Amino acid sequence: MALFTSSNTGNWSSAGTWGGAGTPGAGDTVSIGAHTITVDVPTIIGTSPNNTTTAVIDMTSGSSVLIVGSSLSIRGNVGMVSGSSLNMVAGSSIVWDASASGGTPVYKIINSGFCKLVITGTNSSHCTMSAPVGFTFQLEQSYSQLAIAYCDFTRHAAFTGDGLKMGSSVGFDVQHNTFTSCGFLQLNSTNTNQDFFFNHNTFVNSGADCFKLALNAVPTTINPRECIGNSFDTAFTYSSYGVVGRDNYFGGGIDGVGDHPWAALRYNCIVGTRADGQVLDGVVERNYFTSFSNPNPHFVEIRANVQSCIFGQNIIESHDADTSDFGDILLPVNDRFTPPFKWTVKNNIALRNSFAPTGSGTLITLYATGSTDVVTEHLHNTVNVDNPATGAFPRRSAFATSEAGASGADNVAKLKSNLVWGTSAGQGYLAERVNNFPAALDVITVANADYNWTHNLSAGNNQRHYHDQSTGAPLWSAGDAVAAGVDTHQGTGDPQFFDRNRNIAQWAQDRGYGSTYFDGLAAIKATPTRTADLVAYVFAGFRPGNFDMRNAAHDGGCPGAANFYKSDRTLAEIDAHRASLSRFGL
Amino acid sequence: MANTPNRNYPIPDAAGSIYPQVRDLAIAIDADNILWQPIHKTQVELDAMLPPLEGILYYNTDAHHLQMFDGTAWIVFGAGGGGGIIGVPPSATASWASDTGVTGSPASAWESIDESVTLAQSSGSNRPAVTGSVFGSTQGLTFDGSNDNLTVATQVITATAAGTISIVFKTGASVVGPMVMVSQSDSAVANNWVEFGINADGRLYIESNASGTKHTVVGSTVLLPSTRYDMQLAFDGIDYYMQLNNVEENPLEIVNIGVFAWFGRVAGTTAFTVGGTITSGGLQRPFAGAVGAIYLWAVDLTEA
């Protein structure tokens, strides 16, 4: 065992780098001054201490270890301070090897300050960082630079503090990496004006929670904050402000912390297996929400104090037994938002449950809103309400109010041009009051409930497919829907969907990814950008072809979420024209 | 000017593909060459038409001239590179005019573009730049989002109940609109136009404004910055159909559709503009990005 101290910038394998007295190897330790030491050959360093405090590479400010397509096996911890840097280029690897320590220490970066970690693998030549089977390593530290590309991490330990935390005025760039059999990881920053990229990363074989994004300060600039194209196999925790989330696969759903909105959340596949539901705010569009093995899925639980949210063009597919309740796709809970509160729900498609013979749940359930400052608007949604006439949860609705407490007047400020349907006669209702709270009258605004389209629904004890689940009492001060003049332009008839059976399983089959629900999930997990195609595929299926619906909506369009399907439309000439555009590199 | 197309005659070529019928072609703006441009075909492709439709019009890329089939034989306009629509690279004095040889039946296909029409290129700093390799190896017109535009001081499309527009474009570094790629407006008043562009959400839209009453149809896709797209929008007089990169924009969000509109609805002191909308207040909603080509038809190409 020997301590080597660098004397010059140079290759690790050169004795001249270490004062001419040989080169450090297994059983040795090194101290690096303000030099750049290039690991040019496969190298082993360290004494295998059975602790997380002994540094076998001790770096000072200005020092740098650079691995150039070679490997470095570290048998111990690495001491880094402000201004020191660990760099890997394409084809390089690090193994944090505690196998000879006699214990299971989690080797890590120690000391203090804001160090630099720069890994520049390439698409064709990844870097790797790992620990042997049975061991883990830890990069939790404060960084003044964090740029990691195309690196495959295996067996990184769960964070115990703030995770990988950025220093003041420092962003991060973490893209195209894989994390296999890693613990709960976290990227953390309170900076308001930096670029943050966490894109195209893949998590495999994670624990119950795989990743937490904690950008906890409200941005003060338009610098990008991106979480794009990632595949999270288990739960993702969002504790950030203003992040653009796009093309991700959230295999364990999203657990929102605090009142933090997304800037926008689009084209994600969100698997809602978390019992407390998703907590999402901001603009939430063109996502695919699905859930399995959950007795009462709450796909989106509205919590944060965001006062204007849009939930639009999303697809919701339950694959649950729904043994505990019918399920609530959107669930505003009064203790989790602050009025005035407005939630616009438009152009969403709630599919038929692909596991049980029901719908996927109420599109929205006003649990206990109880305030006239709460405004929800529901426009152009397509909702299946298949429900057996008997059983634990017979005949439910697309829109439900007053579940745990009286909803307030005008909580449902708009209910227009929605398409609520069943696959056979006598299914659920258009809208309902769950419990007969006497004060819950006029929750649905009379003047703005109109132009909805129904098919195969039950009549409802308030007529026009409106229903009180408790005693059949009127929903409006003026009486039932007819007496109150609600939905006077309501239409009824078979929408003649282009293909009402479209869901993730049929998509998988049509696209050649398999034939089952889980085949479809696997296809998106492998390539999260496929969600955009899945959403477009389902939307195409739910285009109504009934000519009576063509302009029957309040805005002159077609009721429901999707465009009218004009059966005699032909795209041959458009296609021929597009073929002539090939010279534009399209 | 109404088209009286001989419909339902897709023309198979030797390879079995289908040519678009010329009756649908109204005008085309090609930013690559800065001209009004008909569809290009090679001599082999033209020879494979069995038989060509009367009135069909193409630019022959082998012979470098515009040719029209009169029901019996091809009539060639111009000689060598002189045929067709003439274009001049941008300069302070550049202008475009339709070819004087385009007469008779083909002229109806070109709607109101006649011999007197001039595409007036904005001068000085208002000129869009011709930028290479914007669309693959193809040039594009790059608009600065401030004042760049190209204008025809007349109606390009007269009142038509239906139509189709196709645009090849590339978004700029920011896709926060509203910004207009192409419009037809009454340049003498404040609120009278039909325009196609990108809205504040970054979505495609078409909007008509009749003396302050707006009717808007919005696409579903939020466009990404610095990205190439091609879009086709067809209107049959009742329904809009829009596709982006060959995928239907579904749903189209309709805002006060009430009075349906197409490009031909604007009268008065008309301006047809690429890169914004011209009103009595000057250029509005200037486009920031690049345009590769704009094609307009006076009919709905998706009609059977």
Side-chain angles (χ1 to χ4, degrees):
Chain A
M1 172 184 172
L3 169 63
F4 287 76
T5 301
S6 69
S7 57
N8 299 291
T9 289
N11 289 335
W12 187 295
S13 63
S14 171
T17 303
W18 309 102
T23 58
D28 298 325
T29 61
V30 297
S31 176
I32 302 174
H35 306 127
T36 296
I37 308 302
T38 301
V39 178
D40 57 328
V41 297
T43 299
I44 301 173
I45 188 66
T47 57
S48 301
N50 187 14
N51 62 55
T52 59
T53 57
T54 301
V56 298
I57 299 176
D58 199 6
M59 303 173 73
T60 57
S61 181
S63 67
S64 176
V65 171
L66 170 63
I67 309 173
V68 287
S70 191
S71 63
L72 178 62
S73 178
I74 306 173
R75 296 179 176 178
N77 305 286
V78 174
M80 298 182 75
V81 297
S82 292
S84 61
S85 145
L86 178 59
N87 305 284
M88 304 170 70
V89 301
S92 301
S93 67
I94 289 178
V95 177
W96 300 78
D97 186 0
S99 59
S101 66
T104 56
V106 179
Y107 288 158
K108 61 182 183 180
I109 296 171
I110 59 174
N111 292 348
S112 61
F114 294 90
C115 52
K116 301 177 182 179
L117 178 61
V118 179
I119 302 175
T120 54
T122 65
N123 186 31
S124 59
S125 182
H126 287 210
C127 295
T128 64
M129 185 178 291
S130 64
V133 174
F135 300 88
T136 58
F137 67 97
Q138 177 63 271
L139 295 176
E140 187 168 64
Q141 186 59 258
S142 295
Y143 289 93
S144 60
Q145 185 179 5
L146 187 69
I148 306 174
Y150 292 104
C151 186
D152 300 325
F153 295 90
T154 304
R155 286 180 284 277
H156 187 291
F159 70 88
T160 58
D162 291 333
L164 280 66
K165 184 175 183 179
M166 301 303 103
S168 178
S169 300
V170 176
F172 57 69
D173 188 343
V174 180
Q175 304 196 61
H176 298 286
N177 305 289
T178 65
F179 300 90
T180 302
S181 302
C182 294
F184 192 11
L185 305 181
Q186 176 180 208
L187 286 178
N188 185 320
S189 175
T190 56
N191 293 318
T192 62
N193 57 352
Q194 299 297 317
D195 295 352
F196 298 101
F197 300 100
F198 190 78
N199 299 339
H200 307 295
N201 301 290
T202 300
F203 290 76
V204 179
N205 197 29
S206 304
D209 296 280
C210 65
F211 184 69
K212 179 178 182 179
L213 186 61
L215 304 178
N216 284 305
V218 177
T220 58
T221 64
I222 60 172
N223 292 70
R225 295 182 167 204
E226 296 182 355
C227 179
I228 296 174
N230 302 290
S231 180
F232 303 101
D233 60 339
T234 59
F236 169 90
T237 299
Y238 181 77
S239 180
S240 299
Y241 289 95
V243 174
V244 172
R246 191 177 72 236
D247 294 325
N248 299 291
Y249 173 80
F250 294 104
I254 300 172
D255 187 12
V257 176
D259 299 336
H260 301 175
W262 295 79
L265 194 62
R266 294 189 174 101
Y267 299 111
N268 303 284
C269 180
I270 303 169
V271 184
T273 56
R274 298 179 69 81
D276 57 352
Q278 318 295 328
V279 184
L280 308 173
D281 300 283
V283 178
V284 182
E285 293 180 326
R286 290 189 87 77
N287 302 287
Y288 202 95
F289 291 87
T290 186
S291 172
F292 61 89
S293 301
N294 189 332
N296 182 20
H298 294 174
F299 290 90
V300 178
E301 189 171 305
I302 302 170
R303 176 182 294 178
N305 295 327
V306 179
Q307 296 182 346
S308 182
C309 304
I310 296 173
F311 187 80
Q313 302 178 31
N314 300 288
I315 310 290
I316 303 96
E317 177 186 350
S318 177
H319 194 73
D320 301 286
D322 285 349
T323 55
S324 175
D325 196 355
F326 183 48
D328 307 284
I329 293 170
L330 298 172
L331 189 71
V333 181
N334 65 335
D335 62 349
R336 296 180 181 178
F337 57 81
T338 302
F341 173 90
K342 182 177 179 181
W343 192 271
T344 302
V345 182
K346 59 182 182 179
N347 295 100
N348 301 285
I349 300 176
L351 300 177
R352 192 170 191 267
N353 190 319
S354 55
F355 182 85
T358 68
S360 285
T362 58
L363 180 58
I364 189 166
T365 299
L366 301 185
Y367 188 71
T369 45
S371 167
T372 55
D373 287 337
V374 175
V375 173
T376 65
E377 298 179 347
H378 311 278
L379 307 169
H380 278 288
N381 300 286
T382 295
V383 183
N384 174 270
V385 289
D386 278 2
N387 276 139
T390 59
F393 310 103
R395 288 180 177 161
R396 296 299 299 275
S397 305
F399 306 96
T401 67
S402 306
E403 178 172 358
S407 298
D410 301 318
N411 274 176
V412 180
K414 292 182 180 178
L415 189 68
K416 287 186 173 181
S417 302
N418 299 286
L419 166 53
V420 183
W421 68 285
T423 55
S424 59
Q427 299 301 314
Y429 308 101
L430 170 59
E432 70 183 36
R433 180 170 58 201
V434 178
N435 289 302
N436 185 22
F437 293 100
L441 289 171
D442 305 314
V443 176
I444 301 172
T445 302
V446 171
N448 289 326
D450 209 350
Y451 295 93
N452 297 292
W453 192 276
T454 65
H455 179 55
N456 280 337
L457 304 189
S458 297
N461 51 32
N462 269 251
Q463 302 197 73
R464 293 179 180 159
H465 313 293
Y466 292 87
H467 192 69
D468 177 70
Q469 289 282 4
S470 181
T471 63
L475 299 181
W476 292 276
S477 302
D480 63 18
V482 173
V486 170
D487 227 343
T488 56
H489 298 92
Q490 186 181 98
T492 299
D494 185 348
Q496 301 170 28
F497 291 123
F498 179 76
D499 180 1
R500 71 183 192 183
N501 295 315
R502 289 196 174 189
N503 56 21
I504 197 168
Q506 189 170 336
W507 171 77
Q509 183 167 330
D510 285 358
R511 295 292 192 261
Y513 301 139
S515 59
T516 69
Y517 171 84
F518 293 103
D519 289 338
L521 285 185
I524 294 175
K525 180 180 180 180
T527 308
T529 52
R530 287 170 173 160
T531 302
D533 178 58
L534 170 61
V535 171
Y537 172 87
V538 174
F539 260 96
F542 282 86
R543 291 172 294 169
N546 184 338
F547 262 77
D548 291 340
M549 297 178 65
R550 190 178 188 186
N551 303 115
H554 71 283
D555 51 16
C558 178
N563 295 335
F564 174 72
Y565 169 62
K566 187 179 171 184
S567 58
D568 59 351
R569 175 171 285 134
T570 173
L571 299 178
E573 292 190 55
I574 290 278
D575 291 343
H577 163 66
R578 285 198 80 249
S580 72
L581 302 178
S582 59
R583 65 194 174 92
F584 292 100
L586 300 168
Chain B
M1 189 176 297
N3 280 314
T4 54
N6 184 7
R7 300 190 177 196
N8 305 320
Y9 279 91
I11 305 167
D13 67 4
S17 63
I18 305 298
Y19 286 108
Q21 297 171 68
V22 74
R23 55 92 177 172
D24 299 312
L25 178 62
I27 62 169
I29 302 170
D30 188 322
D32 185 30
N33 299 303
I34 320 304
L35 48 72
W36 302 93
Q37 186 182 60
I39 290 176
H40 286 192
K41 291 296 175 188
T42 65
Q43 188 65 54
V44 171
E45 291 171 328
L46 291 165
D47 291 342
M49 296 180 179
L50 300 172
L53 287 177
E54 181 177 355
I56 198 166
L57 179 71
Y58 282 116
Y59 183 77
N60 186 321
T61 57
D62 293 323
H64 305 294
H65 61 223
L66 193 67
Q67 62 184 66
M68 183 269 290
F69 193 74
D70 68 359
T72 305
W74 288 103
I75 296 175
V76 175
F77 299 103
I85 307 304
I86 300 169
V88 181
S91 70
T93 58
S95 64
W96 293 261
S98 61
D99 179 65
T100 55
V102 181
T103 58
S105 178
S108 66
W110 289 88
E111 291 292 346
S112 61
I113 297 288
D114 57 32
E115 293 80 32
S116 63
V117 172
T118 299
L119 176 60
Q121 182 189 16
S122 307
S123 62
S125 63
N126 293 354
R127 296 198 307 271
V130 179
T131 309
S133 302
V134 176
F135 301 95
S137 59
T138 303
Q139 291 178 330
L141 280 177
T142 299
F143 295 81
D144 64 1
S146 175
N147 52 20
D148 289 352
N149 70 95
L150 296 171
T151 301
V152 179
T154 188
Q155 283 187 293
V156 167
I157 300 294
T158 53
T160 57
T164 303
I165 183 171
S166 174
I167 303 180
V168 178
F169 65 99
K170 183 177 182 179
T171 53
S174 171
V175 286
V176 178
M179 49 187 172
V180 175
M181 287 186 271
V182 59
S183 70
Q184 186 157 287
S185 60
D186 184 342
S187 61
V189 299
N191 291 305
N192 195 359
W193 69 69
V194 176
E195 63 185 24
F196 187 92
I198 300 171
N199 74 3
D201 294 334
R203 305 175 202 267
L204 296 171
Y205 76 95
I206 184 169
E207 181 174 86
S208 66
N209 185 335
S211 300
T213 301
K214 294 181 180 179
H215 308 287
T216 312
V217 176
V218 182
S220 54
T221 300
V222 175
L223 303 176
L224 299 176
S226 304
T227 303
R228 294 194 303 264
Y229 294 98
D230 76 287
M231 181 288 313
Q232 289 79 41
L233 173 67
F235 178 56
D236 62 5
I238 298 177
D239 296 310
Y240 283 94
Y241 170 83
M242 185 192 294
Q243 64 176 33
L244 182 68
N245 290 357
N246 210 29
V247 177
E248 180 179 2
E249 286 286 278
N250 184 7
L252 290 176
E253 183 174 2
I254 297 169
V255 183
N256 296 326
I257 196 162
V259 179
F260 295 87
W262 191 242
F263 280 83
R265 299 299 171 88
V266 175
T269 310
T270 307
F272 180 88
T273 306
V274 180
T277 300
I278 295 179
T279 72
S280 57
L283 185 70
Q284 309 294 319
R285 298 172 288 286
F287 178 60
V291 173
I294 298 174
Y295 299 82
L296 279 165
W297 292 263
V299 296
D300 177 0
L301 280 190
T302 71
E303 287 280 274

